[in-house]
Amino acid sequence: VLFRSDEIHYGVGGSAANVAVGTSKLGLKVDIFTMVGNDMRGMEILNVLKKNLIGLFYFKTDAYPTNQSSVL
């Protein structure tokens, strides 16, 4: 085993979300075009986008689980 950790940290990311948040922090108006599942992860993404003043006109949810990836 090269590395062992008993902790897991979750965060919201992906290129579209990262660029939207960065653009908003620069003081520019930005919307995001994305779809997430109507689940805990999808709602976490929604809350992060709201907190960062991202426009949600094109934000949609569906019945499928929100996609996710992991970095080890």
Side-chain angles (χ1 to χ4, degrees):
V1 174
L2 297 174
F3 178 76
R4 180 184 167 100
S5 176
D6 294 327
E7 298 178 26
I8 297 175
H9 300 273
Y10 292 99
V12 173
S15 50
N18 293 342
V19 171
V21 169
T23 302
S24 180
K25 286 182 177 183
L26 290 172
L28 301 171
K29 185 177 186 293
V30 62
D31 276 61
I32 190 165
F33 182 86
T34 193
M35 181 179 288
V36 299
N38 189 15
D39 54 17
M40 186 177 77
R41 298 261 184 261
M43 296 307 104
E44 179 182 351
I45 292 168
L46 176 61
N47 290 331
V48 168
L49 296 174
K50 284 181 178 179
K51 179 180 139 189
N52 285 281
L53 306 176
I54 308 301
L56 301 170
F57 184 78
Y58 301 103
F59 183 94
K60 304 293 181 208
T61 59
D62 69 9
Y64 295 100
T66 300
N67 289 330
Q68 57 185 348
S69 60
S70 300
V71 177
L72 304 174

